[in-house]
Amino acid sequence: MSENFNQSHSLNSKIFDLVVIGGGINGTGIARDAAGRGLSVCLIEQNDLANFTSSSSTKLIHGGLRYLEYYEFRLVRESLIEREILLKLAPHIIWPLNFVLPHHKDLRPIWMIQLGLFLYDHLGGRKILPASKKVDLTNTIFGNALKSSFTKGFTYSDCWVDDARLVILNALDAYNKGAIIKTRTLCTKAERIHNNWSITLKDKLTQEYYTIKAKILINATGPWVTDFIENKANIKSDYHLRLTKGSHIIVPKLYDGQHAYILQNKDKRIVFTIPYEQNYTLIGTTDISVNKETLGQANVSQEEINYLCHIVSSYFKKVISADDVKWHYSGIRPLYDDAHKNASAVTRDYVLHLDNYHNLPLLSIFGGKITTYRKLSEHVMEKLKPFFPNLKSNWTAKSILPGGDIKEQNISKFFKKLSNDFLWLPESLIHRYARTYGTLTYQLLNNVSSIHDMGINLGDDLYTIEIDYLIKHEWAQTSEDILWRRTKLGLHINQKTKEKLDDYLKQKLN
Protein backbone atom coordinates (compact mmCIF):
# COMPACT_ATOMS: atom_id res chain seq x y z
CA MET A 1 0.00 0.00 0.00
CA SER A 2 2.90 2.36 0.63
CA GLU A 3 3.28 2.84 -3.13
CA ASN A 4 0.33 5.25 -2.91
CA PHE A 5 2.67 7.83 -1.42
CA ASN A 6 4.86 7.97 -4.52
CA GLN A 7 2.54 7.69 -7.49
CA SER A 8 1.73 11.35 -8.16
CA HIS A 9 3.15 11.44 -11.69
CA SER A 10 1.29 8.31 -12.81
CA LEU A 11 -2.02 9.94 -11.87
CA ASN A 12 -1.63 12.88 -14.27
CA SER A 13 -2.82 11.00 -17.35
CA LYS A 14 -5.70 9.13 -15.73
CA ILE A 15 -9.30 10.39 -15.75
CA PHE A 16 -11.12 9.11 -12.68
CA ASP A 17 -14.83 8.52 -12.60
CA LEU A 18 -14.87 10.04 -9.13
CA VAL A 19 -12.48 12.14 -7.11
CA VAL A 20 -13.52 12.43 -3.46
CA ILE A 21 -12.11 15.31 -1.43
CA GLY A 22 -12.15 14.52 2.29
CA GLY A 23 -10.94 11.49 4.22
CA GLY A 24 -13.49 11.42 7.02
CA ILE A 25 -16.28 8.91 7.45
CA ASN A 26 -18.43 10.28 4.61
CA GLY A 27 -15.55 10.54 2.15
CA THR A 28 -14.17 7.07 2.81
CA GLY A 29 -17.69 5.58 2.86
CA ILE A 30 -18.45 7.09 -0.56
CA ALA A 31 -15.09 5.95 -1.94
CA ARG A 32 -15.74 2.40 -0.72
CA ASP A 33 -19.27 2.26 -2.13
CA ALA A 34 -18.23 3.69 -5.50
CA ALA A 35 -15.16 1.47 -5.88
CA GLY A 36 -17.29 -1.58 -5.07
CA ARG A 37 -19.59 -0.66 -7.96
CA GLY A 38 -16.69 -0.67 -10.41
CA LEU A 39 -16.01 3.06 -10.63
CA SER A 40 -12.45 4.39 -10.70
CA VAL A 41 -11.97 6.42 -7.53
CA CYS A 42 -9.31 8.65 -6.02
CA LEU A 43 -9.72 9.94 -2.47
CA ILE A 44 -7.81 13.03 -1.33
CA GLU A 45 -7.24 13.93 2.33
CA GLN A 46 -5.31 17.04 3.41
CA ASN A 47 -3.99 15.44 6.62
CA ASP A 48 -4.50 11.97 8.09
CA LEU A 49 -7.65 9.92 7.63
CA ALA A 50 -10.22 10.74 10.33
CA ASN A 51 -7.97 13.60 11.39
CA PHE A 52 -10.73 15.94 12.51
CA THR A 53 -14.48 15.46 13.08
CA SER A 54 -14.56 11.72 12.41
CA SER A 55 -12.19 10.92 15.28
CA SER A 56 -13.77 13.42 17.66
CA SER A 57 -17.24 11.96 18.11
CA THR A 58 -18.86 10.49 21.22
CA LYS A 59 -18.03 7.04 19.75
CA LEU A 60 -21.66 5.99 19.37
CA ILE A 61 -23.68 4.29 16.65
CA HIS A 62 -27.11 5.38 17.81
CA GLY A 63 -30.58 6.36 16.70
CA GLY A 64 -30.45 9.69 18.48
CA LEU A 65 -33.04 9.39 21.22
CA ARG A 66 -33.17 13.13 21.88
CA TYR A 67 -33.79 13.90 18.17
CA LEU A 68 -37.35 12.64 18.70
CA GLU A 69 -38.08 15.84 20.62
CA TYR A 70 -37.33 17.77 17.44
CA TYR A 71 -39.55 15.48 15.30
CA GLU A 72 -36.59 14.07 13.36
CA PHE A 73 -38.48 10.81 12.80
CA ARG A 74 -36.96 9.97 9.40
CA LEU A 75 -33.43 10.51 10.65
CA VAL A 76 -34.05 8.47 13.81
CA ARG A 77 -35.61 5.62 11.83
CA GLU A 78 -32.74 5.54 9.34
CA SER A 79 -30.20 5.67 12.18
CA LEU A 80 -31.88 2.83 14.08
CA ILE A 81 -31.88 0.63 10.99
CA GLU A 82 -28.23 1.46 10.28
CA ARG A 83 -27.30 0.68 13.88
CA GLU A 84 -28.02 -3.03 13.44
CA ILE A 85 -26.56 -3.21 9.92
CA LEU A 86 -23.23 -1.75 11.06
CA LEU A 87 -23.14 -4.01 14.11
CA LYS A 88 -22.97 -6.99 11.74
CA LEU A 89 -20.40 -5.42 9.43
CA ALA A 90 -17.70 -4.67 12.01
CA PRO A 91 -18.29 -6.58 15.27
CA HIS A 92 -14.68 -6.08 16.36
CA ILE A 93 -14.99 -2.28 16.56
CA ILE A 94 -18.77 -1.93 17.08
CA TRP A 95 -20.63 -3.60 19.91
CA PRO A 96 -23.87 -3.24 21.88
CA LEU A 97 -23.90 -0.87 24.83
CA ASN A 98 -26.56 -0.72 27.53
CA PHE A 99 -27.62 2.82 28.49
CA VAL A 100 -29.14 3.83 31.82
CA LEU A 101 -31.34 6.93 31.86
CA PRO A 102 -31.91 8.07 35.47
CA HIS A 103 -35.20 9.90 35.86
CA HIS A 104 -34.73 13.50 36.98
CA LYS A 105 -38.03 14.63 38.55
CA ASP A 106 -37.43 18.29 37.66
CA LEU A 107 -36.87 17.65 33.94
CA ARG A 108 -38.74 15.46 31.44
CA PRO A 109 -41.76 13.65 32.91
CA ILE A 110 -41.80 9.84 33.01
CA TRP A 111 -44.61 9.57 30.46
CA MET A 112 -42.57 11.56 27.92
CA ILE A 113 -39.53 9.33 28.39
CA GLN A 114 -41.66 6.18 28.10
CA LEU A 115 -43.24 7.46 24.89
CA GLY A 116 -39.85 8.33 23.44
CA LEU A 117 -38.41 4.92 24.29
CA PHE A 118 -41.48 3.17 22.84
CA LEU A 119 -40.90 4.97 19.54
CA TYR A 120 -37.18 4.23 19.78
CA ASP A 121 -37.91 0.51 20.17
CA HIS A 122 -40.27 0.33 17.21
CA LEU A 123 -39.26 2.92 14.58
CA GLY A 124 -36.30 0.98 13.21
CA GLY A 125 -37.47 -2.64 13.17
CA ARG A 126 -35.14 -3.65 16.00
CA LYS A 127 -34.03 -7.31 15.80
CA ILE A 128 -30.72 -7.74 17.64
CA LEU A 129 -30.63 -5.22 20.46
CA PRO A 130 -32.88 -5.65 23.51
CA ALA A 131 -35.92 -3.43 24.09
CA SER A 132 -35.99 -0.64 26.65
CA LYS A 133 -37.39 -1.20 30.11
CA LYS A 134 -38.12 0.63 33.32
CA VAL A 135 -35.69 -0.14 36.19
CA ASP A 136 -35.46 0.38 39.93
CA LEU A 137 -32.14 2.11 40.62
CA THR A 138 -32.05 1.40 44.34
CA ASN A 139 -29.52 -1.26 45.38
CA THR A 140 -28.64 -2.26 41.81
CA ILE A 141 -25.46 -2.03 39.76
CA PHE A 142 -27.20 0.67 37.71
CA GLY A 143 -27.87 2.83 40.75
CA ASN A 144 -24.93 2.12 43.05
CA ALA A 145 -22.81 4.97 41.69
CA LEU A 146 -25.68 7.48 41.55
CA LYS A 147 -26.88 9.82 44.25
CA SER A 148 -29.68 8.39 46.38
CA SER A 149 -32.22 10.86 44.97
CA PHE A 150 -32.23 8.92 41.70
CA THR A 151 -34.46 5.91 42.40
CA LYS A 152 -36.17 5.31 39.04
CA GLY A 153 -34.84 5.03 35.56
CA PHE A 154 -34.87 3.28 32.21
CA THR A 155 -32.47 1.17 30.19
CA TYR A 156 -32.16 0.90 26.42
CA SER A 157 -29.49 -0.20 23.96
CA ASP A 158 -27.37 1.47 21.30
CA CYS A 159 -23.85 0.69 20.06
CA TRP A 160 -20.31 1.85 20.75
CA VAL A 161 -17.85 2.38 17.88
CA ASP A 162 -14.17 3.10 17.45
CA ASP A 163 -14.90 6.02 15.13
CA ALA A 164 -11.41 6.54 13.70
CA ARG A 165 -10.97 2.86 12.94
CA LEU A 166 -14.33 2.79 11.17
CA VAL A 167 -12.91 5.41 8.81
CA ILE A 168 -9.70 3.42 8.31
CA LEU A 169 -11.63 0.23 7.52
CA ASN A 170 -13.74 1.99 4.90
CA ALA A 171 -10.61 3.43 3.30
CA LEU A 172 -8.94 0.03 3.41
CA ASP A 173 -11.91 -1.66 1.74
CA ALA A 174 -12.03 1.09 -0.88
CA TYR A 175 -8.32 0.52 -1.54
CA ASN A 176 -8.84 -3.24 -1.78
CA LYS A 177 -11.49 -2.58 -4.43
CA GLY A 178 -9.19 -0.42 -6.52
CA ALA A 179 -9.46 3.10 -5.11
CA ILE A 180 -6.40 5.33 -4.82
CA ILE A 181 -6.04 6.85 -1.34
CA LYS A 182 -3.87 9.95 -1.06
CA THR A 183 -3.34 11.32 2.44
CA ARG A 184 -1.48 14.49 3.41
CA THR A 185 -2.44 15.90 0.04
CA LEU A 186 -4.04 19.33 -0.23
CA CYS A 187 -6.48 20.28 -2.97
CA THR A 188 -5.54 23.85 -3.91
CA LYS A 189 -7.88 24.32 -6.87
CA ALA A 190 -10.70 22.53 -8.69
CA GLU A 191 -11.97 23.83 -12.03
CA ARG A 192 -14.06 22.65 -14.95
CA ILE A 193 -11.80 22.50 -18.01
CA HIS A 194 -13.12 21.13 -21.30
CA ASN A 195 -14.84 17.82 -20.51
CA ASN A 196 -13.40 17.10 -17.06
CA TRP A 197 -12.70 18.44 -13.62
CA SER A 198 -9.06 19.50 -13.30
CA ILE A 199 -7.95 19.20 -9.68
CA THR A 200 -4.65 20.71 -8.53
CA LEU A 201 -3.05 18.93 -5.60
CA LYS A 202 -0.11 19.60 -3.32
CA ASP A 203 1.73 16.70 -1.71
CA LYS A 204 2.44 18.07 1.76
CA LEU A 205 5.34 15.67 2.33
CA THR A 206 7.28 16.47 -0.87
CA GLN A 207 5.79 19.97 -1.53
CA GLU A 208 5.13 18.76 -5.10
CA TYR A 209 2.17 20.13 -7.10
CA TYR A 210 0.38 18.01 -9.69
CA THR A 211 -3.01 17.74 -11.38
CA ILE A 212 -5.53 14.93 -11.66
CA LYS A 213 -8.75 14.76 -13.70
CA ALA A 214 -12.22 13.47 -12.89
CA LYS A 215 -15.66 13.16 -14.45
CA ILE A 216 -17.33 13.91 -11.12
CA LEU A 217 -16.05 15.69 -8.01
CA ILE A 218 -17.32 14.83 -4.52
CA ASN A 219 -16.95 17.48 -1.83
CA ALA A 220 -16.91 15.53 1.45
CA THR A 221 -14.79 18.03 3.34
CA GLY A 222 -17.08 18.26 6.35
CA PRO A 223 -16.57 21.61 8.13
CA TRP A 224 -14.75 22.92 5.03
CA VAL A 225 -17.58 22.13 2.58
CA THR A 226 -18.64 25.72 1.84
CA ASP A 227 -15.04 26.93 1.91
CA PHE A 228 -14.19 24.32 -0.73
CA ILE A 229 -17.09 25.35 -2.97
CA GLU A 230 -16.35 29.06 -2.78
CA ASN A 231 -12.55 29.19 -2.51
CA LYS A 232 -11.32 26.04 -4.29
CA ALA A 233 -14.03 25.56 -6.93
CA ASN A 234 -14.89 29.30 -7.16
CA ILE A 235 -18.64 28.66 -7.12
CA LYS A 236 -21.22 30.57 -5.09
CA SER A 237 -22.75 28.32 -2.43
CA ASP A 238 -26.53 28.42 -1.89
CA TYR A 239 -26.28 26.18 1.17
CA HIS A 240 -24.77 27.01 4.53
CA LEU A 241 -23.30 25.21 7.52
CA ARG A 242 -23.85 25.67 11.22
CA LEU A 243 -20.56 24.81 12.90
CA THR A 244 -20.80 23.53 16.47
CA LYS A 245 -18.03 22.39 18.76
CA GLY A 246 -18.45 19.15 20.66
CA SER A 247 -15.94 18.53 23.46
CA HIS A 248 -15.28 15.42 25.53
CA ILE A 249 -13.23 14.61 28.62
CA ILE A 250 -11.70 11.34 29.82
CA VAL A 251 -11.50 10.65 33.57
CA PRO A 252 -10.55 7.58 35.65
CA LYS A 253 -13.37 5.01 35.72
CA LEU A 254 -16.38 6.44 37.57
CA TYR A 255 -18.24 3.19 38.23
CA ASP A 256 -18.16 -0.57 37.87
CA GLY A 257 -19.95 -2.28 35.01
CA GLN A 258 -19.98 -1.98 31.23
CA HIS A 259 -23.09 0.18 30.97
CA ALA A 260 -23.29 3.85 29.98
CA TYR A 261 -25.42 6.65 31.40
CA ILE A 262 -27.41 9.30 29.58
CA LEU A 263 -27.79 12.34 31.83
CA GLN A 264 -30.42 15.03 31.29
CA ASN A 265 -29.62 18.65 31.99
CA LYS A 266 -31.63 21.81 32.56
CA ASP A 267 -30.45 23.34 29.27
CA LYS A 268 -32.18 20.41 27.48
CA ARG A 269 -28.86 18.92 26.42
CA ILE A 270 -27.84 15.44 27.42
CA VAL A 271 -24.41 14.16 28.47
CA PHE A 272 -23.18 10.59 28.13
CA THR A 273 -20.79 8.74 30.43
CA ILE A 274 -19.33 5.75 28.62
CA PRO A 275 -16.91 2.97 29.72
CA TYR A 276 -13.70 3.66 27.82
CA GLU A 277 -10.41 1.81 27.36
CA GLN A 278 -10.90 -0.46 30.40
CA ASN A 279 -9.84 2.01 33.08
CA TYR A 280 -11.56 5.23 32.03
CA THR A 281 -14.90 6.93 31.53
CA LEU A 282 -15.61 9.07 28.47
CA ILE A 283 -17.86 12.06 29.16
CA GLY A 284 -19.49 14.26 26.52
CA THR A 285 -20.55 16.23 24.77
CA THR A 286 -20.93 20.00 24.66
CA ASP A 287 -22.66 21.80 21.81
CA ILE A 288 -21.35 25.32 21.18
CA SER A 289 -21.77 27.38 18.02
CA VAL A 290 -18.41 28.45 16.58
CA ASN A 291 -17.17 30.29 13.50
CA LYS A 292 -15.05 29.00 10.64
CA GLU A 293 -11.87 30.46 12.13
CA THR A 294 -11.84 27.47 14.52
CA LEU A 295 -11.54 24.92 11.69
CA GLY A 296 -8.67 22.52 12.24
CA GLN A 297 -7.95 23.81 15.73
CA ALA A 298 -10.88 22.95 17.97
CA ASN A 299 -9.82 23.09 21.61
CA VAL A 300 -11.64 22.16 24.80
CA SER A 301 -12.22 25.24 26.92
CA GLN A 302 -12.05 25.37 30.70
CA GLU A 303 -15.72 26.38 30.67
CA GLU A 304 -16.64 23.18 28.81
CA ILE A 305 -14.63 21.03 31.20
CA ASN A 306 -16.38 22.65 34.16
CA TYR A 307 -19.77 22.19 32.46
CA LEU A 308 -19.26 18.45 31.95
CA CYS A 309 -17.84 17.95 35.44
CA HIS A 310 -20.77 19.82 36.98
CA ILE A 311 -23.40 17.69 35.21
CA VAL A 312 -21.70 14.42 36.11
CA SER A 313 -21.20 15.51 39.72
CA SER A 314 -24.90 16.39 40.01
CA TYR A 315 -25.80 12.74 39.26
CA PHE A 316 -22.95 10.66 40.70
CA LYS A 317 -21.84 10.22 44.29
CA LYS A 318 -18.29 10.81 43.12
CA VAL A 319 -17.62 14.51 42.53
CA ILE A 320 -15.20 15.22 39.69
CA SER A 321 -13.33 18.36 38.70
CA ALA A 322 -10.86 19.51 36.05
CA ASP A 323 -8.07 17.92 38.09
CA ASP A 324 -9.50 14.47 37.28
CA VAL A 325 -9.32 14.93 33.51
CA LYS A 326 -6.64 12.69 31.97
CA TRP A 327 -7.29 13.60 28.35
CA HIS A 328 -9.74 15.64 26.33
CA TYR A 329 -10.62 16.20 22.70
CA SER A 330 -12.90 18.41 20.68
CA GLY A 331 -14.31 18.33 17.16
CA ILE A 332 -16.26 20.64 14.87
CA ARG A 333 -19.58 19.26 13.65
CA PRO A 334 -20.59 20.51 10.19
CA LEU A 335 -24.38 20.71 10.65
CA TYR A 336 -26.68 21.75 7.84
CA ASP A 337 -27.98 25.22 8.74
CA ASP A 338 -31.76 24.92 9.11
CA ALA A 339 -32.07 28.34 10.82
CA HIS A 340 -32.60 27.03 14.38
CA LYS A 341 -31.33 29.47 17.00
CA ASN A 342 -30.45 26.73 19.48
CA ALA A 343 -27.33 24.77 18.42
CA SER A 344 -28.69 21.63 20.11
CA ALA A 345 -31.83 21.80 17.97
CA VAL A 346 -30.03 22.08 14.62
CA THR A 347 -30.76 19.04 12.47
CA ARG A 348 -28.25 16.18 12.37
CA ASP A 349 -29.66 15.12 9.01
CA TYR A 350 -27.67 15.54 5.82
CA VAL A 351 -28.32 17.37 2.57
CA LEU A 352 -26.75 16.45 -0.77
CA HIS A 353 -26.33 19.33 -3.22
CA LEU A 354 -25.60 18.56 -6.88
CA ASP A 355 -24.19 21.33 -9.05
CA ASN A 356 -24.23 20.00 -12.62
CA TYR A 357 -22.97 22.99 -14.56
CA HIS A 358 -21.83 21.96 -18.08
CA ASN A 359 -22.62 18.33 -17.21
CA LEU A 360 -19.61 18.22 -14.87
CA PRO A 361 -21.14 17.44 -11.48
CA LEU A 362 -19.92 18.70 -8.13
CA LEU A 363 -21.72 16.88 -5.33
CA SER A 364 -21.36 18.46 -1.87
CA ILE A 365 -22.36 16.87 1.43
CA PHE A 366 -23.81 19.15 4.11
CA GLY A 367 -24.22 17.70 7.59
CA GLY A 368 -24.58 14.05 8.49
CA LYS A 369 -23.45 11.85 11.36
CA ILE A 370 -21.30 8.78 11.73
CA THR A 371 -24.27 6.41 12.20
CA THR A 372 -25.74 7.20 8.79
CA TYR A 373 -22.55 7.38 6.74
CA ARG A 374 -23.26 4.12 4.85
CA LYS A 375 -26.80 5.16 3.91
CA LEU A 376 -25.53 8.60 2.92
CA SER A 377 -23.06 6.89 0.57
CA GLU A 378 -25.92 4.95 -1.04
CA HIS A 379 -27.86 8.19 -1.52
CA VAL A 380 -24.81 9.73 -3.18
CA MET A 381 -24.69 6.81 -5.60
CA GLU A 382 -28.40 7.30 -6.37
CA LYS A 383 -27.68 10.93 -7.22
CA LEU A 384 -24.87 9.87 -9.55
CA LYS A 385 -26.67 7.03 -11.33
CA PRO A 386 -27.84 9.24 -14.25
CA PHE A 387 -24.18 9.81 -15.07
CA PHE A 388 -23.31 6.11 -14.89
CA PRO A 389 -26.30 4.25 -16.42
CA ASN A 390 -24.69 0.85 -15.87
CA LEU A 391 -23.87 1.50 -12.22
CA LYS A 392 -24.09 -1.64 -10.09
CA SER A 393 -26.76 -1.88 -7.40
CA ASN A 394 -26.44 -1.28 -3.65
CA TRP A 395 -24.05 -3.73 -2.00
CA THR A 396 -22.57 -2.37 1.25
CA ALA A 397 -25.36 -3.45 3.64
CA LYS A 398 -24.17 -7.05 3.61
CA SER A 399 -20.47 -6.67 2.89
CA ILE A 400 -18.30 -7.16 5.99
CA LEU A 401 -15.67 -4.52 6.63
CA PRO A 402 -12.02 -5.65 6.80
CA GLY A 403 -11.35 -7.62 9.98
CA GLY A 404 -15.04 -8.09 10.71
CA ASP A 405 -15.47 -11.61 9.34
CA ILE A 406 -15.75 -13.07 12.83
CA LYS A 407 -17.79 -16.26 13.02
CA GLU A 408 -21.32 -15.54 14.26
CA GLN A 409 -20.07 -12.06 15.24
CA ASN A 410 -19.04 -13.73 18.50
CA ILE A 411 -16.10 -11.75 19.83
CA SER A 412 -15.66 -13.96 22.91
CA LYS A 413 -15.11 -17.06 20.77
CA PHE A 414 -12.76 -15.03 18.59
CA PHE A 415 -10.68 -14.09 21.65
CA LYS A 416 -10.35 -17.80 22.46
CA LYS A 417 -9.41 -18.70 18.89
CA LEU A 418 -6.67 -16.06 18.82
CA SER A 419 -5.41 -17.25 22.21
CA ASN A 420 -5.18 -20.83 20.92
CA ASP A 421 -3.52 -19.80 17.66
CA PHE A 422 -0.97 -17.52 19.38
CA LEU A 423 -0.33 -19.21 22.72
CA TRP A 424 2.84 -17.17 23.26
CA LEU A 425 1.05 -13.81 22.95
CA PRO A 426 0.12 -12.02 26.23
CA GLU A 427 -3.63 -11.96 26.90
CA SER A 428 -3.64 -8.16 27.01
CA LEU A 429 -2.30 -8.04 23.44
CA ILE A 430 -4.76 -10.71 22.29
CA HIS A 431 -7.64 -8.54 23.45
CA ARG A 432 -6.18 -5.31 22.06
CA TYR A 433 -5.39 -6.81 18.66
CA ALA A 434 -8.80 -8.49 18.45
CA ARG A 435 -10.65 -5.27 19.25
CA THR A 436 -8.44 -3.18 16.96
CA TYR A 437 -7.79 -5.42 13.96
CA GLY A 438 -10.28 -8.28 14.21
CA THR A 439 -9.32 -11.04 11.77
CA LEU A 440 -6.68 -8.72 10.27
CA THR A 441 -4.65 -9.80 13.32
CA TYR A 442 -3.65 -12.81 11.23
CA GLN A 443 -2.22 -10.48 8.59
CA LEU A 444 -0.45 -8.43 11.26
CA LEU A 445 1.12 -11.59 12.74
CA ASN A 446 1.79 -13.35 9.45
CA ASN A 447 4.89 -15.59 9.69
CA VAL A 448 5.27 -14.74 13.38
CA SER A 449 5.70 -17.73 15.69
CA SER A 450 7.08 -16.19 18.87
CA ILE A 451 7.29 -12.91 20.74
CA HIS A 452 10.87 -12.58 19.46
CA ASP A 453 9.58 -12.35 15.87
CA MET A 454 7.60 -9.18 16.60
CA GLY A 455 10.53 -6.81 16.37
CA ILE A 456 11.58 -4.33 19.02
CA ASN A 457 9.38 -3.73 22.04
CA LEU A 458 9.44 0.06 22.33
CA GLY A 459 7.76 -0.25 25.72
CA ASP A 460 4.22 -0.92 26.96
CA ASP A 461 3.93 -3.87 24.55
CA LEU A 462 4.16 -1.66 21.47
CA TYR A 463 6.18 -3.76 19.00
CA THR A 464 7.70 -2.53 15.76
CA ILE A 465 5.82 -5.21 13.79
CA GLU A 466 2.59 -3.33 14.55
CA ILE A 467 4.08 0.03 13.61
CA ASP A 468 5.38 -1.38 10.31
CA TYR A 469 1.95 -2.85 9.62
CA LEU A 470 0.22 0.49 10.23
CA ILE A 471 2.66 2.33 7.97
CA LYS A 472 2.37 -0.20 5.16
CA HIS A 473 -1.35 -0.99 5.28
CA GLU A 474 -3.11 1.88 7.07
CA TRP A 475 -1.43 5.11 5.88
CA ALA A 476 0.05 5.92 9.32
CA GLN A 477 2.91 8.43 9.27
CA THR A 478 3.17 10.02 12.71
CA SER A 479 2.99 9.07 16.37
CA GLU A 480 -0.37 10.82 16.62
CA ASP A 481 -1.73 8.72 13.74
CA ILE A 482 -0.71 5.56 15.58
CA LEU A 483 -1.42 6.47 19.21
CA TRP A 484 -4.75 8.25 18.81
CA ARG A 485 -6.42 7.23 15.55
CA ARG A 486 -5.20 3.72 14.60
CA THR A 487 -5.19 2.80 18.30
CA LYS A 488 -5.89 4.54 21.63
CA LEU A 489 -2.46 3.68 23.03
CA GLY A 490 -1.89 7.34 23.79
CA LEU A 491 -3.89 6.82 26.97
CA HIS A 492 -1.78 3.89 28.08
CA ILE A 493 1.87 4.40 27.19
CA ASN A 494 4.48 6.45 29.03
CA GLN A 495 6.54 9.32 27.66
CA LYS A 496 9.63 7.17 27.14
CA THR A 497 7.71 4.80 24.87
CA LYS A 498 6.37 7.72 22.86
CA GLU A 499 9.86 9.13 22.41
CA LYS A 500 11.09 5.74 21.18
CA LEU A 501 8.16 5.61 18.74
CA ASP A 502 9.05 9.09 17.43
CA ASP A 503 12.67 8.01 16.91
CA TYR A 504 11.62 4.79 15.16
CA LEU A 505 9.30 6.65 12.77
CA LYS A 506 12.05 9.12 11.89
CA GLN A 507 14.38 6.26 10.98
CA LYS A 508 11.68 4.35 9.15
CA LEU A 509 10.20 7.15 7.04
CA ASN A 510 13.18 9.41 6.32
Side-chain angles (χ1 to χ4, degrees):
M1 183 177 295
S2 55
E3 72 271 12
N4 269 0
F5 300 122
N6 300 297
Q7 59 187 188
S8 305
H9 293 294
S10 64
L11 300 181
N12 287 325
S13 59
K14 184 176 178 63
I15 300 174
F16 291 95
D17 292 323
L18 234 61
V19 166
V20 181
I21 310 294
I25 190 59
N26 288 335
T28 55
I30 292 165
R32 175 189 184 232
D33 195 330
R37 297 177 195 245
L39 299 181
S40 57
V41 179
C42 182
L43 181 140
I44 305 299
E45 165 53 43
Q46 63 177 329
N47 289 293
D48 183 30
L49 297 170
N51 201 91
F52 297 108
T53 305
S54 294
S55 60
S56 302
S57 76
T58 313
K59 324 297 183 194
L60 296 179
I61 299 290
H62 66 131
L65 180 61
R66 73 182 184 88
Y67 304 156
L68 292 173
E69 285 190 314
Y70 302 108
Y71 309 109
E72 296 264 20
F73 297 117
R74 190 211 64 79
L75 176 62
V76 173
R77 173 175 165 74
E78 181 173 285
S79 300
L80 290 170
I81 293 170
E82 285 301 295
R83 184 183 64 173
E84 297 209 355
I85 290 174
L86 296 177
L87 184 57
K88 294 178 181 178
L89 301 188
H92 54 314
I93 64 163
I94 301 173
W95 57 84
L97 186 60
N98 197 20
F99 287 79
V100 179
L101 195 167
H103 177 243
H104 194 305
K105 59 183 176 61
D106 296 327
L107 299 176
R108 296 167 179 88
I110 281 185
W111 68 263
M112 182 183 289
I113 296 172
Q114 287 178 313
L115 176 60
L117 289 172
F118 176 84
L119 291 172
Y120 208 67
D121 284 341
H122 294 90
L123 269 177
R126 176 185 51 81
K127 295 178 181 177
I128 301 173
L129 299 174
S132 63
K133 62 182 180 180
K134 193 173 181 179
V135 293
D136 181 356
L137 296 179
T138 58
N139 299 316
T140 67
I141 190 171
F142 295 147
N144 287 344
L146 297 173
K147 291 182 175 178
S148 59
S149 56
F150 297 102
T151 60
K152 299 176 182 178
F154 301 86
T155 63
Y156 70 94
S157 291
D158 268 322
C159 295
W160 187 91
V161 62
D162 186 331
D163 51 6
R165 286 214 61 77
L166 185 62
V167 174
I168 299 300
L169 296 186
N170 275 274
L172 185 56
D173 208 26
Y175 174 84
N176 291 340
K177 290 174 170 55
I180 302 295
I181 310 293
K182 297 287 289 181
T183 62
R184 292 176 167 84
T185 300
L186 181 66
C187 175
T188 61
K189 184 192 296 184
E191 52 190 337
R192 293 173 167 113
I193 297 180
H194 304 306
N195 297 320
N196 299 296
W197 277 99
S198 178
I199 302 140
T200 304
L201 305 174
K202 178 185 179 182
D203 187 317
K204 293 171 74 173
L205 297 178
T206 65
Q207 303 302 307
E208 172 193 22
Y209 285 87
Y210 59 100
T211 301
I212 61 174
K213 294 181 174 62
K215 298 174 183 176
I216 294 177
L217 185 59
I218 305 291
N219 175 11
T221 55
W224 288 270
V225 62
T226 53
D227 179 73
F228 182 89
I229 295 170
E230 295 173 351
N231 298 322
K232 301 296 172 65
N234 291 313
I235 299 170
K236 186 179 184 305
S237 175
D238 296 324
Y239 289 76
H240 301 284
L241 284 180
R242 179 80 169 270
L243 301 177
T244 71
K245 181 173 67 163
S247 295
H248 302 76
I249 58 175
I250 312 293
V251 300
K253 188 163 67 170
L254 283 173
Y255 52 88
D256 294 327
Q258 291 303 305
H259 54 281
Y261 288 91
I262 173 171
L263 310 177
Q264 303 174 80
N265 193 38
K266 291 179 181 178
D267 61 6
K268 291 192 173 183
R269 281 208 47 73
I270 53 95
V271 166
F272 294 103
T273 69
I274 301 168
Y276 192 66
E277 291 292 306
Q278 294 86 47
N279 300 319
Y280 299 93
T281 299
L282 168 64
I283 300 168
T285 177
T286 59
D287 212 350
I288 300 172
S289 292
V290 294
N291 56 41
K292 66 180 183 180
E293 279 69 35
T294 62
L295 292 180
Q297 52 184 6
N299 295 308
V300 182
S301 69
Q302 188 63 49
E303 183 180 5
E304 288 176 294
I305 291 174
N306 293 341
Y307 170 85
L308 293 172
C309 289
H310 171 72
I311 292 176
V312 169
S313 298
S314 69
Y315 277 86
F316 288 87
K317 294 174 184 175
K318 182 177 176 60
V319 174
I320 62 170
S321 68
D323 293 338
D324 295 299
V325 176
K326 300 302 179 186
W327 184 52
H328 53 70
Y329 64 89
S330 190
I332 303 297
R333 303 187 194 97
L335 307 179
Y336 173 66
D337 191 351
D338 57 3
H340 266 289
K341 291 183 180 179
N342 182 355
S344 298
V346 177
T347 182
R348 266 54 177 174
D349 211 344
Y350 52 85
V351 172
L352 307 179
H353 179 246
L354 183 65
D355 179 333
N356 190 27
Y357 184 69
H358 282 192
N359 206 36
L360 287 173
L362 167 64
L363 182 65
S364 299
I365 293 100
F366 291 81
K369 62 199 208 80
I370 196 165
T371 304
T372 54
Y373 88 89
R374 192 202 65 83
K375 197 65 180 176
L376 180 151
S377 301
E378 285 188 344
H379 287 156
V380 167
M381 292 298 107
E382 289 173 14
K383 285 267 191 183
L384 299 185
K385 188 166 178 56
F387 306 98
F388 302 107
N390 299 319
L391 192 68
K392 295 177 183 177
S393 58
N394 294 344
W395 64 277
T396 58
K398 295 184 178 179
S399 182
I400 304 297
L401 284 162
D405 51 335
I406 294 168
K407 190 175 181 181
E408 300 172 347
Q409 290 98 44
N410 190 318
I411 196 73
S412 296
K413 287 184 179 178
F414 182 62
F415 287 151
K416 292 178 182 177
K417 184 177 186 331
L418 278 181
S419 295
N420 290 333
D421 292 343
F422 302 100
L423 293 170
W424 44 269
L425 201 59
E427 186 176 345
S428 59
L429 272 183
I430 289 285
H431 279 255
R432 185 168 75 76
Y433 287 169
R435 278 302 188 191
T436 305
Y437 305 108
T439 56
L440 292 177
T441 302
Y442 289 95
Q443 185 176 346
L444 167 65
L445 299 178
N446 186 37
N447 295 324
V448 175
S449 57
S450 75
I451 202 78
H452 303 292
D453 297 331
M454 294 181 64
I456 304 166
N457 183 353
L458 301 181
D460 302 298
D461 281 342
L462 176 59
Y463 288 86
T464 52
I465 191 173
E466 182 178 8
I467 301 164
D468 293 346
Y469 174 86
L470 294 173
I471 292 171
K472 182 176 181 181
H473 296 285
E474 295 194 2
W475 301 277
Q477 292 279 286
T478 69
S479 291
E480 186 175 327
D481 297 350
I482 292 169
L483 298 179
W484 294 110
R485 286 183 286 275
R486 305 309 184 277
T487 73
K488 293 297 179 288
L489 284 172
L491 269 175
H492 305 289
I493 68 170
N494 61 43
Q495 183 61 28
K496 188 174 181 180
T497 301
K498 184 184 181 303
E499 290 170 0
K500 287 185 177 180
L501 173 59
D502 289 335
D503 290 342
Y504 183 78
L505 290 172
K506 286 178 185 176
Q507 297 172 15
K508 185 79 178 177
L509 296 174
N510 291 340

